[in-house]
Amino acid sequence: MTYTSIQSHLENPTYELRVAHLYGDLMNTYGDNGNILMLRYVGSKLNCEMIFDIVSLDDHFKADDYQLAFWGGGQDYEQGIIADHLSELTDELRSFIEAGKPMLAICGGYQMLGKSYTLADGRPIKCTGILGHVTENPGNDRIIGDVKIYNEDFDETYYGFENHGGRTYLAADEKPLGKVIYGGGNNGQSGEEGFIYKNTFGSYFHGPLLSRNARIAYRLVTTALKQKYGEAIELPAFEDILALEEAGQTISDAKRKA
Ligand code: GLN
């Protein structure tokens, strides 16, 4: 049964968004739940009540019930467990994504959105097949460390920490979240990290991604608000509410140089 894990409890909210936290009880490695706290924080800056529901094994996810979705990372073990339950979710999640609703998927969640994930011993872990990327795990050779990428379309730089065995290869209709400046990225070779498809974002960044890259959090929440309340709503600019959080980004580079 879905249940609300946290919500903002604002006194007099102007807006309300309901977020599906997919398999949040099973897939939440390396601080990925910090993304939920960051979405709640950005919501509070926009006076938007944020309600987070855990949608997990055997739950019936309904695209219409949610304006935003988040799927965190997991170990191969948990990915194997949820693989048998994906059929409960796939059709509705496909409609959600194809409708252009905003979503973020990290690492294991990113892999599960794709066509296939093949373990080192050749066994496949069933994926949703909603998107076209494929992932292979060569075994005993994880990509671990700090990553910095640049997204040309948004002219934005993002920072993260990656720890994954899988190597992911994007489909032709997926764009990378960014070009790798340092770090391994999707597969250690393509020079690309993550993906963007419509308003769905995927990345190997733990850390968690949204706390270190506030512009992505702002984009997810404001996109959801405009879809629900209309393009014409007037929302405060990123610079007016989250400038300090962005300044924190540069700490990564400063530390690296020290
Ligand atoms: N099990 C996957 C891998 O190692 C995903 C790991 C993760 O989500 N951190 O590639």
Side-chain angles (χ1 to χ4, degrees):
M1 211 175 69
T2 60
Y3 63 93
T4 298
S5 58
I6 59 169
Q7 72 179 80
S8 331
H9 297 295
L10 298 181
E11 228 155 69
N12 205 0
T14 315
Y15 310 110
E16 181 184 295
L17 291 177
R18 195 168 272 275
V19 186
H21 186 181
L22 304 177
Y23 305 101
D25 51 346
L26 287 164
M27 295 187 65
N28 49 31
T29 45
Y30 313 127
D32 285 351
N33 282 353
N35 290 306
I36 295 294
L37 300 180
M38 186 61 182
L39 289 172
R40 185 177 65 168
Y41 178 71
V42 172
S44 71
K45 295 277 184 185
L46 297 163
N47 201 28
C48 174
E49 178 73 15
M50 303 289 285
I51 303 167
F52 298 87
D53 285 354
I54 302 275
V55 180
S56 192
L57 305 183
D58 298 324
D59 287 341
H60 299 288
F61 170 74
K62 287 264 168 288
D64 285 350
D65 292 346
Y66 297 98
Q67 293 84 47
L68 229 164
F70 173 71
W71 193 342
Q75 309 304 331
D76 292 353
Y77 178 72
E78 286 87 7
Q79 290 176 253
I81 294 173
I82 67 161
D84 294 335
H85 299 260
L86 288 176
S87 53
E88 298 289 340
L89 166 110
T90 301
D91 288 349
E92 287 286 319
L93 189 58
R94 182 181 287 112
S95 317
F96 186 94
I97 289 171
E98 291 297 343
K101 288 182 162 187
M103 170 167 184
L104 173 66
I106 303 293
C107 205
Y110 164 19
Q111 295 170 352
M112 302 300 281
L113 274 184
K115 226 184 200 167
S116 60
Y117 177 33
T118 312
L119 296 174
D121 61 9
R123 278 182 302 130
I125 286 191
K126 210 169 126 202
C127 295
T128 61
I130 296 171
L131 299 175
H133 55 267
V134 297
T135 305
E136 291 157 12
N137 192 327
N140 278 346
D141 183 24
R142 297 184 74 78
I143 299 178
I144 303 172
D146 287 320
V147 206
K148 178 179 177 179
I149 62 172
Y150 175 69
N151 181 304
E152 222 170 57
D153 293 340
F154 298 140
D155 189 20
E156 291 173 7
T157 300
Y158 307 127
Y159 295 86
F161 182 84
E162 60 185 334
N163 183 350
H164 52 109
R167 311 296 201 257
T168 298
Y169 301 87
L170 298 184
D173 60 359
E174 296 174 296
K175 276 189 155 191
L177 177 63
K179 290 258 155 66
V180 174
I181 296 170
Y182 57 72
N186 281 339
N187 52 50
Q189 283 175 348
S190 64
E192 297 177 341
E193 205 292 319
F195 78 86
I196 303 179
Y197 176 82
K198 296 195 172 181
N199 286 316
T200 295
F201 295 75
S203 173
Y204 274 111
F205 284 15
H206 298 286
L209 180 142
L210 294 182
S211 335
R212 293 181 75 182
N213 303 283
R215 280 186 187 271
I216 302 179
Y218 178 83
R219 184 168 293 116
L220 289 168
V221 176
T222 54
T223 301
L225 281 173
K226 288 186 173 175
Q227 286 177 355
K228 181 169 177 184
Y229 294 97
E231 280 293 323
I233 56 167
E234 280 190 23
L235 298 169
F238 175 87
E239 288 71 17
D240 294 337
I241 54 170
L242 291 160
L244 279 177
E245 286 72 6
E246 189 178 43
Q249 267 201 348
T250 51
I251 291 168
S252 292
D253 270 351
K255 268 198 194 151
R256 224 182 136 77
K257 281 178 200 134

